[in-house]
Amino acid sequence: ERLGLIGQYFATPTSIFASFGDARTQQTFMLRTAPKPPDLGRLVRVTAIARAVLRGEASPTEGSRQLAAIAKRPGPAAIAVVVGHGLASGAAARFLGGALPEIGMAVVAGVVIGLLALVAAVSPNLGRVYEMAAAFVCSFVTAALGVLIGGYSVSLATLAGLIVLIPGLTVTTAITELATSHLTAGTTRMAGAFMTFIGIGFGVALGGRVAAMMVGPALVVTPGGIAPAANWLALGATGIAFSILLRADRADWGWIVGSGVLAFVATRIGSNLLGPEIGVFLGAMAIGFGGNLFNRLTQRPAAVTLVPGLLTLVPGSVGFRSISALLESQVVAGIGTAFGMMLTAVSLVAGLLTAAAIFPERPLT
């Protein structure tokens, strides 16, 4: 409307169609795309450019030039990627019930996966099987060290190490798209998440078997206790890790940590009132309100705080346990766990949609 054009658009995770003009003179363009991780810093800059063009503060030509410059923005430093993976895995181990041995081993596994991610970023062949390869390496390392060193829960450390790979956010996004009638995009994204789960599950199973063949089976260890204050340290580490991995601007790191704390507290209250699966509804609604309040206070996209906050709640670990159970022929347990994952994801989506209906994000203009 701002440019006086007639446009229609159709987007999926792997392509974008754009048509311009009326029915007699319409021209359609297709752009193939590849799904990539969220880049919150880039999102902030693109939104600011779009707002400037809509308000007439910048010409379309200038806006295009600025967008081209953003596309060339370098990624995070290699050390930041490795540190982010390690922090995320260590924090996940605490939330999964681990003590110091599990947290330490999860950090090691996360660092190994972070190093593998750096290799995959420059190797297209490895990139195609990155999740499966990372799951194999993580499972092998944790299982082998569980025999050679011992003293920690191998299954918990493995799951925590894989936490960055698990597509819980993709599942939640897919259900959101399906709930809002974006059926093609939602179905495509859900199928992609399912294949990722399968690849991770197979990699973990293979890594564990190879480790058992080489050094023997690891003993089953029950995690010990740890001070409750560790949960708050883990929350801070989670916020910093997501800020790094999602490439958020430094100015937003405090907001992101606060969003994680809000999600944690609201979900604990909701779980006590409604149960663990339904209780995340309150957590998601609190994140939605917080993200839209952040948008109104700063004129930055609500996703800057919403996505990291949501990542603390997404049911990805539950989905992984479901696939693992199915691969071990525990069909009933696997299906039951999968249903719990879907119920949790639906609760998340319901909370986000409710927050958006009551207190929506400010329009771009």
Side-chain angles (χ1 to χ4, degrees):
E1 292 176 355
R2 171 72 177 82
L3 302 176
L5 297 175
I6 300 174
Q8 295 178 324
Y9 313 94
F10 180 80
T12 74
T14 58
S15 61
I16 300 173
F17 296 86
S19 297
F20 299 98
D22 57 28
R24 294 172 298 176
T25 62
Q26 190 176 78
Q27 290 183 295
T28 301
F29 304 86
M30 186 189 78
L31 178 67
R32 290 288 296 173
T33 63
K36 294 182 179 180
D39 187 329
L40 299 180
R42 179 176 293 184
L43 176 63
V44 168
R45 289 164 178 77
V46 169
T47 303
I49 293 170
R51 181 179 288 114
V53 173
L54 287 171
R55 292 177 176 177
E57 298 170 357
S59 67
T61 301
E62 175 62 19
S64 297
R65 187 192 66 77
Q66 294 179 14
L67 288 176
I70 290 177
K72 299 177 182 179
R73 180 188 179 215
I79 186 63
V81 173
V82 175
V83 170
H85 278 77
L87 283 176
S89 296
R94 170 75 289 268
F95 291 131
L96 292 171
L100 287 178
E102 287 78 20
I103 293 172
M105 193 61 233
V107 170
V108 172
V111 167
V112 171
I113 291 180
L115 294 172
L116 193 62
L118 295 176
V119 178
V122 297
S123 173
N125 291 331
L126 177 60
R128 295 187 184 96
V129 294
Y130 165 63
E131 289 83 4
M132 184 178 69
F136 170 83
V137 172
C138 177
S139 177
F140 177 82
V141 169
T142 54
L145 292 180
V147 175
L148 300 176
I149 299 176
Y152 63 89
S153 171
V154 171
S155 59
L156 191 151
T158 301
L159 178 55
L162 294 170
I163 203 68
V164 175
L165 304 177
I166 295 176
L169 180 61
T170 303
V171 172
T172 304
T173 304
I175 294 179
T176 302
E177 290 173 333
L178 293 172
T180 52
S181 298
H182 297 293
L183 303 182
T184 301
T187 303
T188 303
R189 207 179 298 275
M190 185 66 77
F194 176 75
M195 292 307 299
T196 301
F197 274 125
I198 291 293
I200 292 174
F202 177 78
V204 169
L206 182 62
R209 296 287 177 84
V210 172
M213 290 172 56
M214 296 180 63
V215 298
L219 297 176
V220 177
V221 177
T222 301
I226 193 172
N231 288 334
W232 300 106
L233 293 175
L235 276 175
T238 299
I240 295 173
F242 288 154
S243 297
I244 295 172
L245 296 176
L246 299 177
R247 304 183 184 185
D249 292 338
R250 289 286 181 89
D252 296 326
W253 283 26
W255 293 96
I256 290 172
V257 172
S259 178
V261 173
L262 177 64
F264 179 79
V265 173
T267 302
R268 282 293 178 92
I269 295 173
S271 297
N272 291 334
L273 294 175
L274 304 172
E277 289 85 7
I278 306 298
V280 296
F281 169 81
L282 291 183
M285 191 163 61
I287 294 172
F289 283 133
N292 293 337
L293 178 61
F294 168 81
N295 165 253
R296 291 176 179 269
L297 292 175
T298 65
Q299 293 193 349
R300 297 160 84 84
V304 170
T305 60
L306 193 150
V307 171
L310 196 61
L311 281 171
T312 64
L313 304 180
V314 291
S317 60
V318 181
F320 170 74
R321 285 170 173 153
S322 172
I323 295 296
S324 296
L326 292 173
L327 288 173
E328 295 172 2
S329 299
Q330 300 175 12
V331 178
V332 175
I335 293 176
T337 307
F339 179 77
M341 178 196 72
M342 296 303 295
L343 182 58
T344 302
V346 169
S347 298
L348 286 172
V349 172
L352 293 175
L353 294 178
T354 300
I358 297 173
F359 186 54
E361 187 173 2
R362 176 180 293 173
L364 188 61
T365 56

